[in-house]
């Protein structure tokens, strides 16, 4: 008989010793490439956008690593990709241009795209020259994807789309978007009426992104309006009506990586630097708890990378890592204020620590928006454990 505990397992995974050579190469490249980038800029981590840097990473062969060689990928393992991503985030590399494409859009195109789409798009992703946006959340729907209303209707020449997406990162500068639309309005087909579409943003009229400024002044998020946007027949990605299943597969890539515990890594490092010489035993204990928490999340994330490498679907485990990782990251700015008297400041004022703290205090609340809210994730976990 299968117990509840058997449904949620994080098998210990150790990175092969052979990957240390790759780690050293990546670390040396990043040291040189980011030598002139200020610490405060590096703390923006995977929200920092730099197309030139992404192209350099692509030239090194470190993008599209897990995608098949026959389409222009490198045919390497998820664990090798994990090393590159981890080192990039720890170094504070600007990854926003290639982030979505490398992490989830590329694998999705390989799994569900047409041969023509794979041959055209995968080489661009691998070269670090294709920026993707994700069209999921909608106004009044939040991360409850099953309630979305943006409609794609069949026409004589393809599809016509009307509706609005929101919280769409980098839609104003992306080359492509993979979006989830309702293709069947039947209210009894809440999940079965959804389909995914691959949209070439440079060739599609009727799509208007409007940036949304966050508290820190950044403009990564967008509200995207679709007004009679016409898509070709082959824009349908995968099978009509299977969008819900495809999206849940895609989100496993999004919810489990090292970005789930390294978004605030620079703050933790700076906090330790600031307080370590005069820290009380109680302060050291609090910091030790955070380090232990980060190490545990890394172990769990590595376990999921191994499952992805084996072709398994870690939907449940990924939801757990995303929920716990979000709690860890959102708690760090508050902890820093408790343990250190230095006040947060805006960029350009105060010490590096104060500026990093000031930036993350403003952006950390948005971490809940990425990859599903806590309520959605806990619903997935409850369902996966058989208690809902």
């Amino acid at each position: 008989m299968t117990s509840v505990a058997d449904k949620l397992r994080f098998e210990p995974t150790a990175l092969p010793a052979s990957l240390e050579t790759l780690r050293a190469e990546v670390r040396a490249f990043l040291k040189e490439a980011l030598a002139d980038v200020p610490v405060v800029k590096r703390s923006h981590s995977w929200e920092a956008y730099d197309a030139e840097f992404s192209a350099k990473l692509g030239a090194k062969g470190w993008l599209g690593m897990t995608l098949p060689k026959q389409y222009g990928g490198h045919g390497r393992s998820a664990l090798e990709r994990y090393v590159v991503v981890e080192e990039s985030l720890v170094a504070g590399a600007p990854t926003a241009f290639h982030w979505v494409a490398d992490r989830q859009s590329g694998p999705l195109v390989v799994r569900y795209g047409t041969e023509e789409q794979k041959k055209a798009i995968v080489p661009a992703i691998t070269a670090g020259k294709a920026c993707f946006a994700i069209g999921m959340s909608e106004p009044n729907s939040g991360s409850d994807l099953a309630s979305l209303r943006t409609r794609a209707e069949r026409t004589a020449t393809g599809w016509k789309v009307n509706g609005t997406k929101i919280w769409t990162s980098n839609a104003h500068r992306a080359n492509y978007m993979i979006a989830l639309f309702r293709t069947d309005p039947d209210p009894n087909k809440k999940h079965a009426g959804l389909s995914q579409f691959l949209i070439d943003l440079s060739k599609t009229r009727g799509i208007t992104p409007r940036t949304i400024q966050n508290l820190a002044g950044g403009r990564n998020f967008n509200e995207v309006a679709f007004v009679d946007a016409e898509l070709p027949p082959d824009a349908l990605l995968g099978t009509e009506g299977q969008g819900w299943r495809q999206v849940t597969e895609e989100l496993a890539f999004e919810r489990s990586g090292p970005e789930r515990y390294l978004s605030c890594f620079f703050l933790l490092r700076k906090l330790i630097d600031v307080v370590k010489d005069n820290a009380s035993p109680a302060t050291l204990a609090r910091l030790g708890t955070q380090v232990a928490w980060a190490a545990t999340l890394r172990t769990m994330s590595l376990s999921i990378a191994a499952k992805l490498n084996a072709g398994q679907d870690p939907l449940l485990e990924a939801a757990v890592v995303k929920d716990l990782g979000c709690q860890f990251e959102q708690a760090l700015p508050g902890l820093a204020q408790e343990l250190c008297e230095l006040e947060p400041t805006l960029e350009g004022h105060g010490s590096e620590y104060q500026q990093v703290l000031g930036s993350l205090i403003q952006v950390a609340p948005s971490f809940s928006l990425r990859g599903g809210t806590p309520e959605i994730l806990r619903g997935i976990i409850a369902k996966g454990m058989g208690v809902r």
Side-chain angles (χ1 to χ4, degrees), residues 3-18:
S3 71
V4 172
D6 289 332
K7 297 178 180 178
L8 183 62
R9 301 186 69 86
F10 290 90
E11 298 294 342
T13 300
L15 289 171
S18 58

Side-chain angles (χ1 to χ4, degrees), residues 344-380:
T345 62
L346 297 175
E347 287 192 27
H349 305 275
S351 66
E352 287 182 340
Y353 164 78
Q354 289 175 294
Q355 294 178 62
V356 171
L357 175 60
S359 174
L360 288 172
I361 280 178
Q362 294 174 89
V363 302
S366 70
F367 294 172
S368 301
L369 297 173
R370 307 181 303 198
T373 63
E375 292 77 13
I376 294 296
L377 296 168
R378 291 164 194 173
I380 293 171

Side-chain angles (χ1 to χ4, degrees), residues 297-314:
L297 285 165
R298 181 177 190 266
T299 299
M300 297 168 73
S301 179
L302 269 174
S303 176
I304 294 176
K307 289 193 174 188
L308 291 172
N309 204 42
Q312 300 176 26
D313 179 13

